[in-house]
Amino acid sequence: MRIARYVADDGDPRYGIVELEQDAGGHPDSIAAISGDPLAGAVNYTGERVALDDVRLVSPVIPRSKVVAIGKNYAAHAAEFNSTVPTEPLTFLKPNTSVIGPGEPILYPPETENLHFEGELAIVIGRICRRVPAERAADVIFGYTIANDVTCRDLQAKDKQWSRAKGYDSFCPLGPWIVTNLGLDEVADLEISTTLNGEPRQSSTTSLMVYGIPRLIEFVTSFTTLLPGDVILTGTPEGVGPMLPGDSVSVTIEGIGTLTNPVVAED
Ligand code: MG
């Protein structure tokens, strides 16, 4: 099931179930509206259906408290910065105010001269949890979406720690929707790719993660409580690179979809 948040006719964001023409027996690309918040409890179809083209998708989730991101979780990405993989997962936080949705602009700040894309698989947490053993990780996962861990590479080096370089408003595009029916075995081997203006930049598979999803959830919840709607970014493969105002960046993950955002100079 694909759960999206969308705005129609400039109303408030609503949740809906996305049905694509490619689905067996599916409808033309459309959203079936649901009542309530699927992260908070049971939902019901309202009976309303709108064409996907007639709505504006927004971030499928606003993290309740935080985005926890993982650094250097693909060996080839660590190597492109002359680094090695850490001996345990390397974490940092992105504020929930950095989250934007599909199609919304990544704002190029005046303080940087080297803004990078990082395409990543994102985990959406479904329940309050702390100290989750790896073998129970599936119990706390609501679903998966796509993220772009936008980074000011120059400020990351200058500041030594990464809260500014990765925490600007608009630096965490999420979407286009949350897929809830992928098992841990399936997400452990998905193709992930990034294009800039249609040109291939990153191409890898989630099977090359150093630390898999169960270990990441175990590690993150060893030090912090995760709330429903919190998000874990699982790290980026090699091939990261610069974006400029006017560019369009797309991250595609097999079985989930494509997240596309324009880059726009911040006023
Ligand atoms: Mg990253």
Side-chain angles (χ1 to χ4, degrees), residues 29-40:
D29 294 356
S30 62
I31 295 185
I34 54 177
S35 60
D37 178 348
L39 278 154

Side-chain angles (χ1 to χ4, degrees), residues 69-72 77 92 118-120 149-151 166 233-236:
I70 309 297
K72 302 179 185 176
H77 170 62
F92 58 95
E118 296 189 357
E120 309 199 4
D149 176 22
V150 178
T151 303
K166 288 173 173 284
L233 308 190
T234 56
T236 195

Side-chain angles (χ1 to χ4, degrees), residues 81 107-118 150-166 168 171 240-244:
F81 291 104
L107 300 176
Y108 195 111
E111 292 84 8
T112 189
E113 295 181 347
N114 195 12
L115 186 71
H116 276 205
F117 53 81
E118 296 189 357
V150 178
T151 303
C152 298
R153 201 63 74 195
D154 46 358
L155 300 185
Q156 185 183 26
K158 179 182 177 186
D159 291 355
K160 304 294 189 275
Q161 55 76 43
W162 306 349
S163 57
R164 177 169 69 142
K166 288 173 173 284
Y168 274 90
F171 275 22
V240 300
M243 308 181 284
L244 291 171

